[in-house]
Amino acid sequence: MKYNKLIFDLSTPGRTGYRLPPLDVEEKELSDLLPKEILNEEELDLPEVSEVDVIRHYTNLSNLNFGLDTGFYPLGSCTMKYNPKINEDMASLAGMTAIHPMQDIDEVQGALQVLYDAQKYLCEVAGMDYMTLQPAAGAHGEITAIMVMKKYLEDQGETQRNEIIVPDSAHGTNPATAVMAGFKVVEVKSNEMGRVDVEDLKKVVSDKTAGLMLTNPNTLGLFETDMKEIADIVHDAGGLLYYDGANANAILGQVRPGDMGFDAIHFNVHKTFSTPHGGGGPGTGPVGVKAFLKDYLPKPIVEKDGDNYYLDYDIKHSIGRVKDFNGHFGIYIRGLAYIMAMGHDGLKLASSLAVLNANYLQHELKDHYKLAVDDICKHEFVLAGLKDDADGQLTTNDVAKRLLDKGYHPPTVYFPLIVPEALMIEPTETESKQTLDSFIKAMKEIAEEAKEDIDILLEAPHNAPVRRPDETKAAKDLILTYQKGE
Ligand SMILES: *Cc1c(COP(=O)(O)O)cnc(C)c1O
């Protein structure tokens, strides 16, 4: 649908969308009430519209938005999973919303229980001992955890450890985090099966290694088969292991990072534990650690004494605060509601189905698209362009744009960086076979169009309000004001 009007375009002089009750006080001039110098002399140029105009305008605009509630959204690495609406009900209960973080601890015991239970359950899923709920997103969790690791190593007298190892397939936030925390980034290569190259890892570890940041399954959606060896190599060299939990939707209830050898982790609660997200928020990135790192966590953490919940500020070597109060409370309500409703068996079923759905799509698409790595995947997989790409004239960008015409949100494109023409697909567990089959059909139609009429792809999308913007300019050169008459 095309709809590109501004509310000003609908304005008709004299039209109103409101009616005020009769005045029951004495009428006064504004200039009698306010100092003259702060009054505006000119008429304000506001849109004059009826109530129906306003409703239709904003409803039409909202229809331009594509969200999980409108259609299939297989955005790999971001885990756009279904957000059960009961989570929203829980988060909007008056007992959750009509409280203030400065209130007396005795008055907000229920809220502290939410946080305490969130800590406990997230620790259980992660195989960690303690958890801070402060970080506001995954990337924020990364920097929090790496600072915790840094301070721990300093206290051990290991100040020479100034390198963080990051796989070449890593999410960009990993090297960025390491640099922000004052480390040098050392890259470890992936092997031809898309996993960490263990021989290369042996070469890059040393007494300068502070740690390894790893996503497992990794950004190709592949489980690190040499996990134990990787953990041993890093630990034997005196480094720590950090788990980027963005892909935890593949392992919920199956295997725990703590049991894989990781010392610290973050979860992206908004990805894995079903909070609506996208476009930059809201999120939260709690960090879990093994007991030996507890004394370095941001403070406070929520503790329990008998039946009483309290905030524990007694964290001796704490790196300090990384966020006001206790982090994004509302997201933990949603995450907790999700975990409690699912239970262990439910979480395990969710990850099983997420993996099954991804493998089904991969299997059905691999005759038409190149695979980055031809192997059983976890919750997502990466394509490497069309098999028949009209001698390189067609790119993944064209496929993604054409998917818009067919009613789908395109998967993640051009990530991870080590895969040329990457298209990363993550269906998640809640999509039906019918939805997956329709998506497969659309992807196969695109592959056919690529053989028959490449212009359809090169000119896609054909029915979107904006078609092919200069993506850099659209992101960097925003036009946020409306000049009337232009
Ligand atoms: C999403 C993601 C992050 C960053 O998480 P945010 O919550 O967006 O800050 C880090 N690593 C990986 C692998 C991710 O997919």
Side-chain angles (χ1 to χ4, degrees):
M1 191 204 47
K2 289 201 160 81
Y3 184 84
N4 52 10
K5 289 199 168 77
L6 291 169
I7 190 89
F8 289 91
D9 298 327
L10 306 177
S11 186
T12 303
R15 187 168 290 170
T16 53
Y18 62 89
R19 198 160 41 138
L20 296 177
L23 206 59
D24 57 2
V25 292
E26 189 195 336
E27 186 164 359
K28 283 199 171 152
E29 287 296 320
L30 255 188
S31 51
D32 294 336
L33 297 167
L34 293 171
K36 217 168 159 211
E37 55 280 16
I38 67 165
L39 290 177
N40 188 4
E41 310 253 292
E42 286 158 42
E43 278 283 301
L44 278 184
D45 186 12
L46 295 174
E48 296 176 80
V49 284
S50 71
E51 181 177 344
V52 183
D53 291 338
V54 174
I55 292 172
R56 290 204 182 131
H57 176 67
Y58 287 106
T59 306
N60 281 326
L61 281 183
S62 77
N63 284 340
L64 295 180
N65 223 354
F66 191 98
L68 264 178
D69 290 348
T70 18
F72 187 45
Y73 203 137
L75 196 68
S77 194
C78 295
T79 306
M80 298 303 252
K81 65 198 275 175
Y82 170 67
N83 318 117
K85 300 303 172 243
I86 189 160
N87 297 356
E88 301 306 309
D89 281 355
M90 296 302 108
S92 52
L93 290 173
M96 303 290 191
T97 53
I99 50 177
H100 193 278
M102 299 289 270
Q103 239 167 299
D104 260 6
I105 289 296
D106 309 342
E107 296 171 356
V108 288
Q109 284 289 305
L112 289 181
Q113 184 182 353
V114 166
L115 296 172
Y116 181 82
D117 287 349
Q119 286 174 187
K120 198 174 64 180
Y121 289 138
L122 291 171
C123 273
E124 178 60 31
V125 177
M128 292 286 145
D129 300 317
Y130 292 94
M131 181 93 33
T132 170
L133 303 182
Q134 279 183 26
H140 195 194
E142 290 175 32
I143 186 93
T144 303
I146 296 298
M147 283 162 63
V148 163
M149 285 162 52
K150 186 179 186 186
K151 191 144 189 228
Y152 165 79
L153 289 171
E154 280 168 11
D155 277 7
Q156 303 295 306
E158 300 274 325
T159 45
Q160 86 289 358
R161 294 192 180 271
N162 63 355
E163 294 179 353
I164 294 277
I165 302 171
V166 176
D168 57 5
S169 63
H171 193 263
T173 51
N174 294 180
T177 291
V179 169
M180 276 182 72
F183 289 101
K184 194 177 140 213
V185 176
V186 177
E187 197 170 272
V188 58
K189 286 200 209 55
S190 302
N191 61 27
E192 70 283 358
M193 290 310 283
R195 272 80 170 190
V196 167
D197 184 331
V198 170
E199 292 312 312
D200 195 46
L201 180 64
K202 284 181 191 159
K203 279 187 220 144
V204 297
V205 291
S206 71
D207 63 356
K208 288 187 174 167
T209 303
L212 167 73
M213 297 179 84
L214 198 65
T215 313
N216 193 19
N218 64 25
T219 61
L220 289 159
L222 300 168
F223 198 82
E224 293 288 351
T225 29
D226 298 316
M227 191 58 235
K228 174 150 178 22
E229 203 179 348
I230 292 168
D232 287 347
I233 292 168
V234 175
H235 282 151
D236 290 349
L240 301 175
L241 260 92
Y242 179 69
Y243 181 82
D244 175 334
N247 288 345
N249 213 40
I251 61 151
L252 288 180
Q254 314 277 351
V255 60
R256 308 189 311 167
D259 302 333
M260 291 184 221
F262 289 93
D263 303 297
I265 77 142
H266 82 256
F267 280 129
N268 307 63
V269 176
H270 44 296
K271 295 180 183 173
T272 310
F273 301 100
S274 79
T275 287
H277 66 108
T284 183
V287 165
V289 294
K290 288 282 176 70
F292 73 96
L293 291 172
K294 184 209 170 182
D295 271 346
Y296 299 86
L297 285 179
K299 58 186 174 183
I301 57 177
V302 185
E303 286 287 6
K304 191 178 177 187
D305 181 15
D307 287 337
N308 275 320
Y309 298 94
Y310 67 99
L311 294 172
D312 181 8
Y313 285 88
D314 185 22
I315 302 179
K316 284 183 203 58
H317 309 287
S318 173
I319 60 164
R321 249 188 200 288
V322 297
K323 178 94 183 82
D324 46 347
F325 304 114
N326 302 297
H328 287 165
F329 179 57
I331 315 290
Y332 291 113
I333 303 169
R334 291 171 174 86
L336 186 63
Y338 178 73
I339 293 175
M340 290 176 75
M342 298 290 277
H344 175 267
D345 293 347
L347 292 181
K348 192 168 181 182
L349 181 62
S351 55
S352 302
L353 293 177
V355 170
L356 180 65
N357 284 356
N359 277 286
Y360 178 56
L361 285 187
Q362 175 173 258
H363 178 79
E364 291 295 310
L365 294 178
K366 72 180 189 183
D367 290 340
H368 306 269
Y369 294 84
K370 295 175 218 159
L371 282 181
V373 177
D374 192 353
D375 196 358
I376 300 274
C377 64
K378 288 289 171 227
H379 65 310
E380 64 191 3
F381 62 99
V382 181
L383 300 177
L386 283 155
K387 275 218 159 135
D388 206 334
D389 64 359
D391 296 327
Q393 289 179 81
L394 290 170
T395 65
T396 280
N397 194 36
D398 302 319
V399 174
K401 296 289 184 196
R402 187 64 179 139
L403 271 173
L404 293 172
D405 287 334
K406 297 186 184 281
Y408 296 102
H409 192 289
T412 300
V413 293
Y414 298 101
F415 175 75
L417 304 179
I418 53 169
V419 178
E421 297 303 325
L423 187 79
M424 179 193 250
I425 302 176
E426 178 180 358
T428 79
E429 66 275 16
T430 41
E431 297 300 337
S432 67
K433 177 151 186 302
Q434 286 73 16
T435 301
L436 300 181
D437 284 338
S438 308
F439 179 71
I440 291 164
K441 184 164 163 278
M443 288 289 284
K444 286 185 179 170
E445 281 168 11
I446 293 173
E448 286 308 311
E449 287 168 355
K451 290 181 207 158
E452 284 155 18
D453 181 3
I454 68 167
D455 288 340
I456 292 188
L457 293 187
L458 290 173
E459 286 161 25
H462 296 268
N463 53 18
V466 179
R467 295 183 57 190
R468 290 222 178 187
D470 174 332
E471 287 180 7
T472 311
K473 198 168 157 59
K476 300 283 177 202
D477 192 7
L478 302 174
I479 302 169
L480 298 173
T481 53
Y482 172 65
Q483 299 301 330
K484 217 176 162 199
E486 270 187 13

